Amino acid sequence: MRASSAVRSVRPLSVAVVTLGCPKNQVDSEVMRGLLARDGFRLIEQPERADVVVVNTCGFIDQAKEESIDTIVRLAKLKQSGRCRVLIATGCLTQRYSGELLKEIPELDGVTGTGDFQTIAEICRERLAPAKTTVPISLTEQMAFLYDDATPRHRIGPKHSAYVKVSEGCNYRCSFCAIPSFRGDLKSRPIDSVVREVEQLAKEGVKEINLIAQSLTSYGWDWRDKSALVRLLAQLAPVAGIEWIRLFYTYPTDFTDELIELLAKERKLCRYVDLPLQHINDRLLKAMNRKGSRRDIEQLIERLRKAIPDLALRTTFIVGFPGEGEAEVEELEEFVRAIGFDRIGVFTYSPEEGTAAFALGDPVSAEEKAERRQRLLDLQEEIAGERLAAMIGKKLRVLVDGPADDGSDRLEARHQGQAPEIDGVVLLEQSKKQPSPGDLVTVEITDTIGYDLVGRVTPM
């Protein structure tokens, strides 16, 4: 008995960080994992085996909030059935609803916000103390913590691919979006900090860098420098070992001629643009407080495709916004058909407290929103099928990720137009010499399966 107690007393405390939401949340979790490891905690992936469980929540839309709450409730059961001693919720949802969460889920030992990631180890130690009490931890006035190159990170996912957050917050005030209320205004990292981080990631074997922000094309605008993103990319491209640099969350009216020119000529910049449009009807764009008009968007896409003929274009739309009727949905369908996007994502509108659109109510039924969403997705499936079929016979450079998740013996890879996790993949046929994860190889496309391509490794 005494020996068993002695073993328990010296065993490092284990912690599991459960991540919900977008890649920006993933980076926040990686930072928290790095800080917890530096403090002596042992990182594990199984919450049911952890002494401490930290849930990094998402609070973007109703569906994300529901998933966050359901996850917290499920993990709260570990306080009785597992070894969990401390359960902490953090992130976007908790920044908005800390008091409500503690009231509704008494198993929570602490609730922190987006400005407290840097103190997560201290918070966990405090809650592990015998005299701990279940009360809110005062949320910092700083809306969101922005890490730098000196901040420890314990990354999640493939060793050869990494997300890098270059700024936090947003100066836009889209009427449907609550993010600025809990992430704050735009705050950009210094260029040299981002470059140093990417250089370190390259030394660790990373070949693909995915740059993320609330609005990437606004990077540096808080310094009144609209050329900052171009200057950052120009310094990242020469970093040895980095092969691909991908841009996420680019605001349509923020593209400069210099940025388009650099995307066209720099081989390390992926021929991929993630361009969230939200809608195309001018009246709804104005109601959403989005900058620019349909004509502005069409002209931008024309400029991009003229400069980068092999560009992969992804966008997202919101259906069911107050004031949207059948005519606006048909206009959106017509636009999607005319542009021929490679991929689209479609969200259904949910009224968010604290946003300008909240006062407009929610006049479109959930059933109608779902039907409109499905119409767009069905249309996009046809378009994507045609675009993918046109790639059969082409040779592409792909980055190998690892074993396919379809139960086969094939490997998964991606070309520049396929972002990790959200887009399709290239399934590699069996070959005598199978490539390894992180390898860049040339494949010839032989077939399509749904949104995926099939290819065989071949000489360039």
Side-chain angles (χ1 to χ4, degrees):
M1 267 309 225
R2 287 192 297 270
S4 176
S5 298
V7 170
R8 285 197 298 269
S9 67
V10 298
R11 176 181 56 81
L13 291 165
S14 58
V15 60
V17 180
V18 178
T19 305
L20 304 171
C22 66
K24 294 181 285 292
N25 261 22
Q26 177 177 323
V27 172
D28 292 337
S29 288
E30 290 173 347
V31 167
M32 286 191 285
R33 284 162 59 92
L35 292 165
L36 287 162
R38 187 177 67 181
D39 192 73
F41 284 91
R42 180 170 61 92
L43 299 175
I44 64 173
E45 304 304 322
Q46 305 88 356
E48 64 274 9
R49 298 177 55 192
D51 298 299
V52 179
V53 177
V54 178
V55 187
N56 189 7
T57 63
C58 178
F60 178 45
I61 56 176
D62 280 348
Q63 185 177 358
K65 288 187 283 189
E66 290 170 7
E67 181 187 16
S68 293
I69 292 170
D70 289 346
T71 301
I72 295 170
V73 170
R74 174 175 57 83
L75 293 172
K77 296 177 182 178
L78 297 177
K79 296 289 290 295
Q80 287 79 38
S81 62
R83 65 190 284 173
C84 178
R85 296 167 53 190
V86 168
L87 176 63
I88 292 175
T90 187
C92 298
L93 184 70
T94 57
Q95 184 74 35
R96 300 180 70 184
Y97 304 109
S98 60
E100 294 94 323
L101 285 172
L102 280 169
K103 181 179 179 181
E104 297 297 326
I105 311 175
E107 292 88 352
L108 277 170
D109 296 290
V111 169
T112 73
T114 56
D116 301 296
F117 297 137
Q118 74 275 28
T119 60
I120 190 64
E122 176 185 340
I123 291 169
C124 289
R125 294 286 182 192
E126 176 186 307
R127 285 324 200 219
L128 283 162
K132 71 178 185 342
T133 54
T134 306
V135 295
I137 296 167
S138 297
L139 302 187
T140 180
E141 291 183 4
Q142 176 189 352
M143 284 294 191
F145 169 69
L146 180 58
Y147 76 106
D148 60 25
D149 58 290
T151 309
R153 279 179 69 183
H154 194 284
R155 291 195 299 110
I156 306 167
K159 293 182 179 180
H160 56 271
S161 180
Y163 292 101
V164 173
K165 188 189 292 189
V166 302
S167 66
E168 187 57 87
C170 183
N171 285 349
Y172 286 111
R173 293 296 185 267
C174 300
S175 67
F176 56 83
C177 182
I179 289 176
S181 69
F182 52 85
R183 289 281 180 175
D185 290 333
L186 176 67
K187 181 182 179 183
S188 303
R189 291 174 58 187
I191 288 177
D192 58 352
S193 174
V194 179
V195 173
R196 285 194 298 267
E197 181 184 11
V198 171
E199 289 173 340
Q200 180 57 42
L201 289 169
K203 292 177 183 177
E204 296 171 7
V206 171
K207 294 185 177 179
E208 176 186 47
I209 296 294
N210 299 288
L211 298 179
I212 56 176
Q214 302 299 335
S215 173
L216 183 65
T217 36
S218 298
Y219 174 74
W221 289 26
D222 47 326
W223 318 325
R224 304 183 188 280
D225 182 358
K226 294 193 175 184
S227 68
L229 181 58
V230 170
R231 293 192 294 113
L232 171 64
L233 295 173
Q235 292 190 42
L236 292 181
V239 175
I242 300 300
E243 298 290 343
W244 289 357
I245 302 170
R246 181 177 284 100
L247 279 58
F248 279 102
Y249 314 113
T250 59
Y251 199 95
T253 57
D254 294 349
F255 273 84
T256 63
D257 290 338
E258 292 76 16
L259 177 57
I260 295 175
E261 181 182 349
L262 185 61
L263 284 169
K265 74 177 184 181
E266 175 49 60
R267 70 169 187 85
K268 288 190 180 182
L269 297 181
C270 291
R271 271 45 177 169
Y272 181 98
V273 169
D274 173 40
L275 191 71
L277 298 177
Q278 314 309 354
H279 216 283
I280 201 59
N281 176 266
D282 284 339
R283 179 178 59 81
L284 289 180
L285 287 172
K286 185 175 181 180
M288 290 178 170
N289 200 26
R290 299 284 292 179
K291 306 300 180 185
S293 64
R294 171 172 181 164
R295 184 60 187 144
D296 295 328
I297 292 168
E298 290 173 333
Q299 289 177 340
L300 170 62
I301 293 173
E302 183 179 348
R303 288 163 58 207
L304 285 166
R305 284 183 164 163
K306 182 178 180 180
I308 315 166
D310 56 345
L311 178 72
L313 193 59
R314 177 185 178 85
T315 191
T316 54
F317 296 113
I318 296 173
V319 293
F321 188 85
E324 182 189 67
E326 179 61 24
E328 288 75 27
V329 178
E330 290 179 359
E331 181 181 358
L332 192 52
E333 289 177 310
E334 176 269 322
F335 174 74
V336 169
R337 188 178 291 108
I339 295 298
F341 293 96
D342 294 273
R343 292 159 202 91
I344 68 170
V346 185
F347 295 96
T348 55
Y349 173 73
S350 63
E352 297 296 320
E353 294 172 300
T355 64
F358 189 75
L360 301 176
D362 192 17
V364 182
S365 70
E367 293 77 15
E368 182 64 23
K369 291 176 188 176
E371 190 270 338
R372 294 176 186 180
R373 176 177 184 271
Q374 195 58 50
R375 283 167 58 179
L376 281 178
L377 292 178
D378 289 345
L379 172 59
Q380 178 59 27
E381 186 175 8
E382 296 176 17
I383 295 169
E386 295 171 359
R387 296 182 70 83
L388 291 171
M391 300 180 74
I392 294 176
K394 291 186 177 181
K395 290 186 176 182
L396 301 173
R397 194 73 166 160
V398 300
L399 179 64
V400 180
D401 281 330
D405 60 5
D406 60 0
S408 70
D409 294 329
R410 293 182 292 199
L411 294 175
E412 280 186 4
R414 291 175 292 106
H415 61 75
Q416 282 197 6
Q418 294 172 318
E421 301 176 21
I422 61 173
D423 296 327
V425 298
V426 179
L427 296 168
L428 303 185
E429 297 176 358
Q430 288 287 323
S431 60
K432 291 182 179 179
K433 185 179 180 181
Q434 289 284 79
S436 300
D439 286 348
L440 278 159
V441 297
T442 300
V443 300
E444 181 179 353
I445 303 303
T446 59
D447 200 358
T448 68
I449 302 176
Y451 284 94
D452 299 330
L453 296 166
V454 180
R456 59 170 173 262
V457 178
T458 182
M460 187 63 181

